[in-house]
Amino acid sequence: MARLFGTDGVRGLANGDLTVSLALDLAVSAAHVLTADAVASARRPIAVVGRDTRISGEFLQAAVAAGLASSGVDVIDLGVLPTPAVAHLTAALGADLGVVLSASHNPMPDNGIKFLARGGVKLDDAMEDAIEAGLGRETERPLGAGVGRITPYPTGVEEYVEHLAGTLAHRHDGLTVVVDCAQGAASVSGPLALARAGARVIAINHTPNGLDINAGCGSTHPEALQKAVLEHGADAGFAFDGDADRCLAVDHEGGLVDGDQVMGILALGLAEEGELAGDTLVATVMSNLGLLRAMESAGIQVAQTAVGDRYVLEEMRRGGYVLGGEQSGHIVLSRHATTGDGTLTALQVLDRMARTGRSLAALAEPVARFPQVLINVPDVDKHRTDDPELVAAIAAQGAELGNDGRILLRASGTEPVVRVMVEAPTLERAGSVAERLASVVRRRLAL
């Protein structure tokens, strides 16, 4: 049987794969796993619960809150808030666990349930396995005054924005910024935080109706942001995803500044200020060769992990590092947050602009992106990527590219797909190598 938890919680089609009964059962099991310390010390357990703007989040949040309260947990209902805000408040309010109802950048019909442990940190595999193992298990249910209470918490946005303001070293007065909120969870907090820092803020896609989250907007569709930055003559633009744990940027010329370039900007800034722990940036194997080259030139090491923010976080905790992330714009600044935070990322980039007086385009210039081609090869046996002919083909193409490119072939973690990624000095060359390798994958690993 396939594992229920993926790389970022339990996700699926709301009311199809992810049902009320599953949400309820997950909450009951999570309550027993994550509140054991509170119960052992005879302390009333507390959980905070927040969601993004999807219409399905309303009934799923109700189911999660019911499951927690029926297990004797007092629930603080945060309403609509970004994932990083829920993580922050889990720690700030001393809660035993946090829950986020969100499918992040996925389309509106999907939803997901993400659990956070005490302190607002993501769960490790062992905790997730324990929650999954507890599904459907009969447990003693509290009665009378033993059941939990569900209490609204109307000040969550303001407290989160105040937290973000406390991370800044400079005012952003004089900067004009466009922010694309993806009709998602940061539709209120994102523009408010940027304005609080002094920027003139133009918000787009910030009036969600429950049905339009990520629909042609946000970090997965930055075209609207690029157009708006040019129309308003803005200094920069930032695009979040549905739960605002990602951030991509746009410079004043309308050029896209991806997660690798944002990480490069922040790493160079922290290193200059002597605040980049271990002179190390943590990134995944999908990060562009241009980032690796730029960091090498600056004397910054790059610790590379498997794809997925949880692996980035694990490496950051292991090495005590303060900056890590993914090309997608999921960037972790661990001195201020326990997870990726799109609004925090935007504020720190603006802080760098204010400190240096340089444009976003100039700050991003050291991280020159190599053309990258990614081909997903479906309907293949992803467990046979060690096929001798395929390995030999990769070695031959890699030798041909030499130091001027890079090849990454990996199996998808969620579907029968093998991903072939090639970077080279030109798009044509990257595409040619990728097509050749994809052809070998189709022929050798066909189901």
Side-chain angles (χ1 to χ4, degrees):
M1 182 178 174
R3 190 171 186 267
L4 186 61
F5 282 86
T7 55
D8 199 14
V10 178
R11 201 175 287 188
L13 181 64
N15 223 24
D17 308 307
L18 186 55
T19 62
V20 165
S21 57
L22 177 56
L24 184 74
D25 289 348
L26 281 167
V28 170
S29 184
H32 288 281
V33 171
L34 299 175
T35 67
D37 289 345
V39 172
S41 60
R43 178 172 52 80
R44 183 85 162 191
I46 298 172
V48 298
V49 182
R51 63 180 178 87
D52 68 22
T53 55
R54 291 164 218 268
I55 189 172
S56 61
E58 297 174 6
F59 74 76
L60 288 171
Q61 183 170 8
V64 166
L68 293 169
S70 73
S71 303
V73 179
D74 284 338
V75 177
I76 298 173
D77 180 359
L78 300 176
V80 174
L81 270 183
T83 290
V86 177
H88 166 69
L89 289 167
T90 300
L93 298 176
D96 297 281
L97 73 151
V99 190
V100 183
L101 286 302
S102 175
S104 190
H105 59 283
N106 282 27
M108 180 276 293
D110 291 346
N111 216 321
I113 301 177
K114 295 187 267 194
F115 293 102
L116 301 164
R118 189 171 183 82
V121 299
K122 292 194 174 185
L123 307 189
D124 58 25
D125 287 342
M127 282 187 174
E128 289 181 343
D129 289 343
I131 292 171
E132 191 166 337
L135 291 176
R137 184 179 296 164
E138 281 297 321
T139 57
E140 185 177 350
R141 301 176 185 174
L143 301 172
V147 301
R149 308 293 296 269
I150 302 174
T151 307
Y153 196 78
T155 60
V157 168
E158 181 60 31
E159 291 179 28
Y160 172 56
V161 168
E162 281 299 306
H163 157 67
L164 293 174
T167 70
L168 301 177
H170 305 87
R171 293 281 299 170
H172 301 162
D173 302 279
L175 292 173
T176 297
V177 181
V178 180
V179 56
D180 184 342
C181 301
Q183 305 291 16
S187 292
V188 174
S189 61
L192 181 60
L194 292 167
R196 189 74 59 84
R200 173 177 172 253
V201 179
I202 298 148
I204 63 174
N205 300 310
H206 65 299
T207 56
N209 60 19
L211 305 174
D212 53 3
I213 188 170
N214 298 320
C217 59
S219 63
T220 52
H221 299 278
E223 304 81 16
L225 177 63
Q226 291 172 296
K227 181 180 177 183
V229 167
L230 293 175
E231 284 179 351
H232 293 280
D235 296 289
F238 298 96
F240 307 139
D241 63 338
D243 70 334
D245 61 358
R246 294 185 182 192
C247 173
L248 296 184
V250 169
D251 65 32
H252 70 285
E253 297 174 333
L256 184 65
V257 179
D258 71 8
D260 282 338
Q261 291 173 298
V262 170
M263 281 192 286
I265 290 168
L266 296 177
L268 291 170
L270 287 170
E272 182 182 297
E273 295 159 18
E275 296 182 1
L276 186 65
D279 286 325
T280 299
L281 166 68
V282 180
T284 75
V285 293
M286 288 297 287
S287 277
N288 194 277
L289 184 57
L291 174 65
L292 306 184
R293 293 275 177 87
M295 296 299 98
E296 183 180 13
S297 296
I300 296 172
Q301 300 180 64
V302 180
Q304 290 190 276
T305 75
V307 175
D309 67 285
R310 65 185 301 167
Y311 303 114
V312 171
L313 283 161
E314 285 173 5
E315 179 63 18
M316 290 178 70
R317 284 195 289 266
R318 186 198 66 77
Y321 304 128
V322 298
L323 177 64
E326 300 183 276
Q327 190 179 66
S328 63
H330 194 126
I331 295 168
V332 182
L333 292 135
S334 63
R335 286 181 178 164
H336 308 301
T338 59
T339 185
D341 189 330
T343 309
L344 173 64
T345 299
L347 287 166
Q348 294 300 317
V349 170
L350 289 173
D351 227 40
R352 183 70 180 153
M353 291 171 65
R355 177 187 179 92
T356 63
R358 301 175 69 196
S359 70
L360 178 55
L363 290 172
E365 191 175 1
V367 186
R369 288 177 295 184
F370 275 53
Q372 187 181 81
V373 171
L374 175 66
I375 298 177
N376 293 320
V377 186
D379 304 319
V380 293
D381 186 350
K382 65 181 182 180
H383 302 294
R384 293 196 295 114
T385 54
D386 59 350
D387 173 80
E389 186 174 325
L390 177 57
V391 171
I394 294 169
Q397 294 299 318
E400 185 179 316
L401 284 173
N403 293 327
D404 292 330
R406 188 166 69 105
I407 296 169
L408 176 66
L409 187 142
R410 68 183 187 89
S412 166
T414 57
E415 51 189 328
V417 167
V418 169
R419 309 194 195 283
V420 179
M421 189 276 286
V422 178
E423 290 168 351
T426 67
L427 188 62
E428 293 75 18
R429 190 172 180 193
S432 174
V433 172
E435 285 290 356
R436 279 183 234 147
L437 291 175
S439 175
V440 177
V441 171
R442 292 186 192 99
R443 178 165 51 84
R444 296 294 299 177
L445 308 188
L447 291 171

mmCIF file of all heavy atoms in Angstrom, residues 35-45:
data_model
loop_
_atom_site.group_PDB
_atom_site.id
_atom_site.type_symbol
_atom_site.label_atom_id
_atom_site.label_comp_id
_atom_site.label_asym_id
_atom_site.label_seq_id
_atom_site.Cartn_x
_atom_site.Cartn_y
_atom_site.Cartn_z
ATOM 1 N N THR A 35 0.572 15.165 20.891
ATOM 2 C CA THR A 35 0.309 15.786 22.197
ATOM 3 C C THR A 35 0.683 14.872 23.357
ATOM 4 O O THR A 35 0.274 15.109 24.489
ATOM 5 C CB THR A 35 -1.179 16.192 22.330
ATOM 6 O OG1 THR A 35 -1.997 15.010 22.364
ATOM 7 C CG2 THR A 35 -1.610 17.085 21.177
ATOM 8 N N ALA A 36 1.476 13.854 23.087
ATOM 9 C CA ALA A 36 1.829 12.888 24.136
ATOM 10 C C ALA A 36 2.519 13.565 25.314
ATOM 11 O O ALA A 36 2.255 13.232 26.481
ATOM 12 C CB ALA A 36 2.715 11.789 23.548
ATOM 13 N N ASP A 37 3.408 14.534 25.037
ATOM 14 C CA ASP A 37 4.116 15.219 26.122
ATOM 15 C C ASP A 37 3.160 16.012 26.999
ATOM 16 O O ASP A 37 3.289 16.033 28.231
ATOM 17 C CB ASP A 37 5.185 16.159 25.552
ATOM 18 C CG ASP A 37 6.355 15.401 24.954
ATOM 19 O OD1 ASP A 37 6.470 14.187 25.229
ATOM 20 O OD2 ASP A 37 7.134 16.011 24.202
ATOM 21 N N ALA A 38 2.198 16.694 26.362
ATOM 22 C CA ALA A 38 1.217 17.467 27.124
ATOM 23 C C ALA A 38 0.382 16.561 28.013
ATOM 24 O O ALA A 38 0.144 16.861 29.197
ATOM 25 C CB ALA A 38 0.323 18.259 26.172
ATOM 26 N N VAL A 39 -0.061 15.443 27.450
ATOM 27 C CA VAL A 39 -0.889 14.502 28.220
ATOM 28 C C VAL A 39 -0.094 13.928 29.389
ATOM 29 O O VAL A 39 -0.601 13.807 30.509
ATOM 30 C CB VAL A 39 -1.403 13.377 27.298
ATOM 31 C CG1 VAL A 39 -2.092 12.289 28.111
ATOM 32 C CG2 VAL A 39 -2.359 13.943 26.248
ATOM 33 N N ALA A 40 1.178 13.594 29.133
ATOM 34 C CA ALA A 40 2.025 13.008 30.184
ATOM 35 C C ALA A 40 2.232 13.969 31.345
ATOM 36 O O ALA A 40 2.382 13.547 32.500
ATOM 37 C CB ALA A 40 3.365 12.594 29.601
ATOM 38 N N SER A 41 2.234 15.270 31.049
ATOM 39 C CA SER A 41 2.432 16.264 32.108
ATOM 40 C C SER A 41 1.111 16.846 32.606
ATOM 41 O O SER A 41 1.106 17.870 33.286
ATOM 42 C CB SER A 41 3.343 17.387 31.599
ATOM 43 O OG SER A 41 2.769 18.022 30.471
ATOM 44 N N ALA A 42 0.012 16.188 32.231
ATOM 45 C CA ALA A 42 -1.327 16.612 32.658
ATOM 46 C C ALA A 42 -1.634 18.049 32.246
ATOM 47 O O ALA A 42 -2.294 18.796 32.963
ATOM 48 C CB ALA A 42 -1.475 16.436 34.176
ATOM 49 N N ARG A 43 -1.111 18.430 31.093
ATOM 50 C CA ARG A 43 -1.342 19.773 30.555
ATOM 51 C C ARG A 43 -2.336 19.699 29.407
ATOM 52 O O ARG A 43 -2.283 18.784 28.600
ATOM 53 C CB ARG A 43 -0.012 20.367 30.075
ATOM 54 C CG ARG A 43 -0.116 21.736 29.445
ATOM 55 C CD ARG A 43 1.271 22.328 29.180
ATOM 56 N NE ARG A 43 2.134 21.424 28.445
ATOM 57 C CZ ARG A 43 2.071 21.244 27.117
ATOM 58 N NH1 ARG A 43 1.166 21.880 26.399
ATOM 59 N NH2 ARG A 43 2.913 20.419 26.522
ATOM 60 N N ARG A 44 -3.238 20.670 29.352
ATOM 61 C CA ARG A 44 -4.244 20.678 28.290
ATOM 62 C C ARG A 44 -3.567 20.957 26.938
ATOM 63 O O ARG A 44 -2.950 22.000 26.749
ATOM 64 C CB ARG A 44 -5.251 21.782 28.579
ATOM 65 C CG ARG A 44 -6.403 21.864 27.606
ATOM 66 C CD ARG A 44 -7.512 20.918 28.001
ATOM 67 N NE ARG A 44 -8.758 21.272 27.342
ATOM 68 C CZ ARG A 44 -9.923 20.756 27.668
ATOM 69 N NH1 ARG A 44 -10.006 19.883 28.659
ATOM 70 N NH2 ARG A 44 -11.013 21.104 27.026
ATOM 71 N N PRO A 45 -3.654 20.043 25.956
ATOM 72 C CA PRO A 45 -2.995 20.269 24.666
ATOM 73 C C PRO A 45 -3.674 21.387 23.870
ATOM 74 O O PRO A 45 -4.884 21.613 23.976
ATOM 75 C CB PRO A 45 -3.159 18.928 23.939
ATOM 76 C CG PRO A 45 -3.568 17.941 24.981
ATOM 77 C CD PRO A 45 -4.304 18.720 26.023
#
